[in-house]
Amino acid sequence: MIGSAPAGTVPAPHQFAAPWGARGYITALDGPVHWIEFGGTADPAPGAGSYGPPIVFVHGLGGSHLNWCQVGPQLAAGRRAVALDLHGFGLTPGTRRTSTVRANARLLDRFVREICGTPVILVGNSMGGMISVLQAAAAPDTVAGLVLIDPALPLPRQVPDPLVAGQFLLYALPGVGELFVRTMLVRRTPELAVRQLIELCFADPSRSDPAMVAASVDLARYRMGDRTQARAYAQSLLAASRSLLRVNGRPGRYWGMMGSIRVPVLLIGGESDRLVSLAAMRAAAARNPGWEAVFLPGVGHTPQLEVPDAVIDAISGWL
């Protein structure tokens, strides 16, 4: 048995996170689920050498375990730190049914109970932040603390970024969304797909790490390597996008879940985020005065990739 993972956990056949000292594994949790562990120890005794709850990293829409490789090794010092691929993303397969926000919240619940033991500290970015909020609200006994990095939030009363709004509108339209995603995946090379994602999520794309770009391209090339995988990814992307919009479409309920959280919360936001506005993040902080909040000037939607040292400092100080 690897760490505190269930019997049957096996090393992953692909190790895209190896350059950052992480090892990948596959565990059957309603289908094969890929996850990585930072720290370089293949078989640690549960709890050995740790002085705090395990950290579980939860990526956002279109992301993967690679989103955490520039902060995971440092935050793993003295504690266990793992990152999973949600259904439909990274190296975890998914379907329309399993790739929704609610279905991936159920996956996260099972993952933290069976892989990590609880309670854990959840660190979620974007859609992963929303899923982490759902977990903390529904199963407070499993969560010791929550770090929300540019989490998906209800839209404030302001004009949204036109590119982002247009893209999500296309995702939402039945038939149109399917055609848009299918066409986009056919026409884009892995290199172009990664570059466009960086341009969308970074305030300053020149900050992207070349090694991370290369690993992301390799993962994208593998994931889109045949028509069946590409079609499955398109379905997962649409299912996740539409379910995210549904959760945000009931802001009263979502704000209520955030307000019910009683564990310590750290909110980290990029002030130049195009997908989740600074106004929305300030509103979340104002509604929850017990939260700690750090806003990073000149930073976009994925601070852990754009300014990893700043994120490490913020989380380490909070821990």
Side-chain angles (χ1 to χ4, degrees):
M1 190 163 71
I2 300 167
S4 55
T9 295
V10 298
H14 302 282
Q15 299 286 339
F16 294 105
W20 293 273
R23 297 194 183 195
Y25 303 101
I26 303 290
T27 300
L29 300 172
D30 296 326
V33 173
H34 175 262
W35 55 281
I36 63 172
E37 180 148 13
F38 296 101
T41 302
D43 192 19
S50 66
Y51 58 82
I55 292 176
V56 177
F57 297 105
V58 191
H59 66 77
L61 183 69
S64 76
H65 61 282
L66 288 178
N67 289 178
W68 305 105
C69 287
Q70 292 175 254
V71 299
Q74 293 84 351
L75 294 175
R79 69 174 71 229
R80 195 172 185 208
V82 299
L84 80 159
D85 282 335
L86 298 170
H87 281 308
F89 301 98
L91 296 174
T92 298
T95 64
R96 288 180 186 271
R97 180 183 62 83
T98 63
S99 301
T100 66
V101 165
R102 295 287 183 181
N104 271 316
R106 291 191 290 272
L107 170 61
L108 178 61
D109 180 73
R110 189 168 176 188
F111 182 86
V112 299
R113 294 178 189 275
E114 297 185 28
I115 302 290
C116 305
T118 57
V120 301
I121 294 171
L122 295 177
V123 180
N125 173 228
S126 191
M127 181 184 74
M130 173 183 279
I131 291 171
S132 297
V133 167
L134 267 58
Q135 178 67 20
D141 58 307
T142 67
V143 181
L146 196 58
V147 179
L148 303 175
I149 303 177
D150 294 73
L153 292 168
L155 293 173
R157 296 180 180 275
Q158 68 178 50
V159 178
D161 182 282
L163 176 62
V164 174
Q167 185 164 312
F168 273 93
L169 176 61
L170 289 172
Y171 286 161
L173 295 173
V176 176
E178 282 77 1
L179 178 61
F180 171 70
V181 172
R182 191 162 56 245
T183 302
M184 177 181 65
L185 293 177
V186 167
R187 292 182 176 178
R188 293 194 308 180
T189 64
E191 292 82 1
L192 178 60
V194 170
R195 184 167 73 246
Q196 288 180 338
L197 191 61
I198 289 171
E199 290 172 351
L200 177 65
C201 293
F202 281 44
D204 181 358
S206 70
R207 292 174 175 152
S208 58
D209 177 68
M212 177 54 63
V213 172
S216 299
V217 169
D218 288 343
L219 175 58
R221 184 176 293 115
Y222 168 78
R223 190 171 53 197
M224 310 309 297
D226 63 62
R227 188 170 298 179
T228 300
Q229 285 194 105
R231 186 182 301 114
Y233 178 67
Q235 292 177 348
S236 296
L237 185 64
L238 282 172
S241 301
R242 289 167 175 171
S243 66
L244 187 154
L245 292 172
R246 286 195 294 271
V247 175
N248 265 343
R250 304 181 67 179
R253 184 174 181 181
Y254 189 24
W255 287 125
M257 284 189 284
M258 283 184 256
S260 72
I261 295 171
R262 294 292 176 263
V263 297
V265 178
L266 171 64
L267 172 65
I268 300 174
E271 292 188 358
S272 298
D273 189 340
R274 298 172 63 185
L275 288 94
V276 179
S277 71
L278 178 61
M281 289 185 280
R282 290 195 184 281
R287 284 173 173 267
N288 299 280
W291 293 9
E292 294 185 41
V294 176
F295 298 111
L296 304 171
V299 176
H301 186 60
T302 51
Q304 76 275 16
L305 291 169
E306 187 173 358
V307 287
D309 289 343
V311 171
I312 292 167
D313 288 345
I315 296 177
S316 296
W318 176 79
L319 288 172

